[in-house]
Amino acid sequence: MDHTSAPVLEAIDSYHAHGRLAFTPPGHKQARGADEQARRVLGDAFHSDVLASGGLDDRRMRGRVLRRAEELMADAVHADHTFFTTCGSSLSVKAAMLAVAGPHEQLLIGRDAHKSVVSGLILCGIDPVWVEPQWDDRGLAHPPSPQSYEESFERHPDARGALITSPTPYGTCGDLERLAEVCHARGRPLIVDEAWGAHLPFHPDLPKWAMDAGADVCVTSIHKMGSGLEQGSVFHLRGDLIDPDTLTSRADLLGTTSPSVLIYAGLDGWRRQMRLHGRELLGDALDLAADARRAIDAIDGLHVYGRDDLTGPGLAYDLDPLPVLIDVSDLDTSGYRVADWLRSHRALDVHIADHRRVGAQLTFADSPATLAALLDGLRDVTEHRAELRGAPTVAVPKPSELRLEQAMLPRDAYFGPIEEVPLERAAGRVAAEMASPYPPGIPTVLPGERLTDPVLTYLRSGLTAGMNVPDPADPELRTIRVAVEPS
């Protein structure tokens, strides 16, 4: 296939070249009706914001603009089918789940799954069989082992398939090849939420990506580690365990009928960029990440987690080195305080922040200049350690205490009768809402789980320390929604 072509971008160019005049949405009409400041800030974005059907392509999509772009993407990453979405991987993973399991059917899911997976359980009524992550002694969860999934299949032979998150937001990866073998030995499909791994197919020194490892569906966020716009996601299908028409139907059920052509264009351009230049661009990024890891680890009071910390027996199977996870606990402060200080004093935004870490995500868009700014900011943090000391303590439970009893289906708890109770009286009650420290958005509590004092104390102390928990009805967690159980 001709990977120098970018059908969506070419169609936008053609739209402008023909001087088309739209009597259709969007109502700003090529920016003519847009707010003055919006035009100034967003620039040319308005001019390429056209309808997908009856704009980018004709009203019946006979030019196959989007379909040709998806076929090129599938070819680039060795998939049988690829689907674009402008609703993020939060939609893509739900579509994949709904294509594999239906209401009251079981699906094996790693308990380190993103909140979008839990949303899929609520919408569909799937019965989750939770598979425990692998925990290290610093309290980080890594993808569950294939053996854990195999044992779960043995206990739940009617489960319709399995879902794993790999890479995690920390860059740790599971043994996908072995897990695919576990699933396929039972004729069951494997879904991989690879939102953080869109770049993996394009360099041999990165972890093996899901399609090459044998997964049936792989969900990727092009905006996370690639050069797509926010909300740009693709999901890929391979093999015959999932019907492509069923997957298309599930995505159509959840997706928007007004997709952003701008986001499609970003996906299309990313594919061409990676297919033609990915190995070189990612090679430079990997070299830069190695430099960053060495330089940060040499700063007094900071430690960068590497393979020795995160991979090995009982830990992750592999590691993507581009997410750089930095332990700041030797500064006697928290990642929350360091993240806030870097933003306020150095205009630097980091990705992950928790009670003892910050995470700096590197991509091929970074350079020695951007790395120098990060290093200067981190050195400045250590020079101001005195003012950062004394951060509130977060009462982090042991991994065994984080695992809550699933007393009800998530759907039943969420949609059933509920009441709000003070947090101090919530232990023993069944949660009716999620509580997900964000980022990374992995629920500590999900609907249907029975609440315990250690988890509630963790959330309460985390909020005091600077944790962001945006999903409960009461974001301060003075109260929490719980199910009204039969007397």
Side-chain angles (χ1 to χ4, degrees):
M1 301 184 78
D2 180 10
H3 284 282
T4 64
S5 174
V8 177
L9 291 167
E10 290 157 10
I12 292 173
D13 272 344
S14 175
Y15 185 93
H16 294 314
H18 282 84
R20 295 193 185 279
L21 185 62
F23 292 91
T24 69
H28 59 73
K29 302 293 184 79
Q30 300 284 281
R32 296 190 303 274
D35 172 78
E36 182 178 349
Q37 184 181 17
R39 291 199 306 270
R40 176 174 57 80
V41 172
L42 297 179
D44 291 339
F46 278 112
H47 297 284
S48 296
D49 183 32
V50 302
L51 285 181
S53 171
L56 183 76
D57 205 339
D58 70 18
R59 64 182 179 84
R60 295 178 63 188
M61 307 286 276
R62 284 172 288 200
R64 300 185 70 251
V65 173
L66 178 60
R67 189 63 241 157
R68 285 186 288 120
E70 291 174 331
E71 289 168 355
L72 282 163
M73 179 76 84
D75 182 71
V77 298
H78 320 130
D80 294 338
H81 307 273
T82 289
F83 308 86
F84 286 5
T85 175
T86 65
C87 299
S89 290
S90 294
L91 177 145
S92 303
V93 74
K94 294 184 188 76
M97 292 167 63
L98 271 60
V100 170
H104 303 289
E105 292 183 323
Q106 291 184 327
L107 183 66
L108 308 188
I109 306 173
R111 185 54 183 84
D112 57 339
H114 187 260
K115 63 178 291 181
S116 58
V117 171
V118 179
S119 299
L121 299 175
I122 293 169
L123 289 171
C124 188
I126 292 171
D127 182 4
V129 176
W130 296 114
V131 184
E132 286 304 300
Q134 302 186 99
W135 293 88
D136 64 29
D137 57 8
R138 299 173 181 84
L140 277 181
H142 306 297
S145 68
Q147 180 63 31
S148 294
Y149 279 95
E150 189 159 37
E151 292 169 358
S152 293
F153 269 124
E154 290 171 358
R155 292 192 298 271
H156 302 275
D158 293 332
R160 304 301 300 166
L163 187 154
I164 189 172
T165 303
S166 177
T168 67
Y170 309 105
T172 59
C173 303
D175 185 351
L176 300 183
E177 196 163 14
R178 174 64 186 127
L179 179 54
E181 292 172 356
V182 168
C183 293
H184 295 163
R186 293 163 173 80
R188 300 305 192 196
L190 171 62
I191 303 168
V192 179
D193 182 352
E194 201 169 61
W196 290 97
H199 58 304
L200 298 184
F202 299 105
H203 199 283
D205 293 339
L206 289 167
K208 180 176 286 191
W209 95 287
M211 289 285 98
D212 287 347
D216 299 274
V217 177
C218 171
V219 172
T220 66
S221 293
I222 306 303
H223 66 95
K224 283 186 168 69
M225 295 296 290
S227 60
L229 297 174
E230 281 292 303
Q231 295 182 218
S233 172
V234 299
F235 48 107
H236 309 283
L237 176 63
R238 194 172 184 182
D240 58 5
L241 292 178
I242 300 173
D243 175 41
D245 292 335
T246 299
L247 185 57
T248 301
S249 174
R250 301 299 188 265
D252 182 67
L253 187 70
L254 299 168
T256 177
T257 56
S258 303
S260 169
V261 163
L262 297 172
I263 296 176
Y264 284 157
L267 299 175
D268 199 23
W270 149 260
R271 181 270 314 156
R272 179 171 64 183
Q273 184 182 35
M274 285 295 100
R275 184 63 174 79
L276 299 181
H277 309 293
R279 182 165 184 152
E280 176 187 356
L281 292 170
L282 290 167
D284 290 344
L286 289 168
D287 290 343
L288 188 73
D291 293 341
R293 288 172 168 274
R294 284 190 294 269
I296 296 169
D297 213 37
I299 298 173
D300 182 45
L302 304 182
H303 173 62
V304 175
Y305 292 172
R307 288 187 175 276
D308 290 346
D309 301 293
L310 302 175
T311 64
L315 301 173
Y317 178 75
D318 206 347
L319 177 67
D320 175 8
L322 295 180
V324 180
L325 195 59
I326 307 162
D327 195 314
V328 301
S329 58
D330 283 350
L331 300 179
D332 191 24
T333 192
S334 69
Y336 306 124
R337 283 198 171 179
V338 169
D340 291 346
W341 194 93
L342 285 169
R343 179 174 170 85
S344 297
H345 293 83
R346 299 304 297 253
L348 295 173
D349 291 324
V350 294
H351 173 224
I352 297 289
D354 66 17
H355 64 288
R356 65 180 291 174
R357 292 167 283 257
V358 294
Q361 171 197 339
L362 299 178
T363 74
F364 66 86
D366 283 294
S367 65
T370 64
L371 175 56
L374 175 63
L375 294 174
D376 286 346
L378 291 171
R379 293 186 185 105
D380 209 6
V381 162
T382 65
E383 291 171 4
H384 291 82
R385 67 179 71 194
E387 62 192 77
L388 293 169
R389 285 186 181 131
T393 300
V394 181
V396 181
K398 296 179 292 187
S400 60
E401 293 175 324
L402 281 170
R403 183 67 178 95
L404 302 178
E405 173 199 356
Q406 186 79 50
M408 298 174 64
L409 284 181
R411 180 187 180 92
D412 294 345
Y414 183 86
F415 286 113
I418 64 168
E419 61 181 336
E420 292 188 9
V421 299
L423 204 68
E424 58 269 18
R425 298 213 311 264
R429 301 295 300 273
V430 175
E433 62 182 348
M434 280 188 269
S436 312
Y438 199 91
I442 299 168
T444 300
V445 171
L446 56 86
E449 289 187 331
R450 195 171 299 281
L451 298 164
T452 64
D453 280 322
V455 164
L456 294 169
T457 300
Y458 166 59
L459 291 170
R460 186 187 300 112
S461 63
L463 281 169
T464 300
M467 181 188 289
N468 179 34
V469 187
D471 37 15
D474 176 5
E476 300 299 321
L477 274 180
R478 294 178 295 265
T479 62
I480 190 167
R481 290 186 172 186
V482 297
V484 177
E485 299 178 79
S487 300

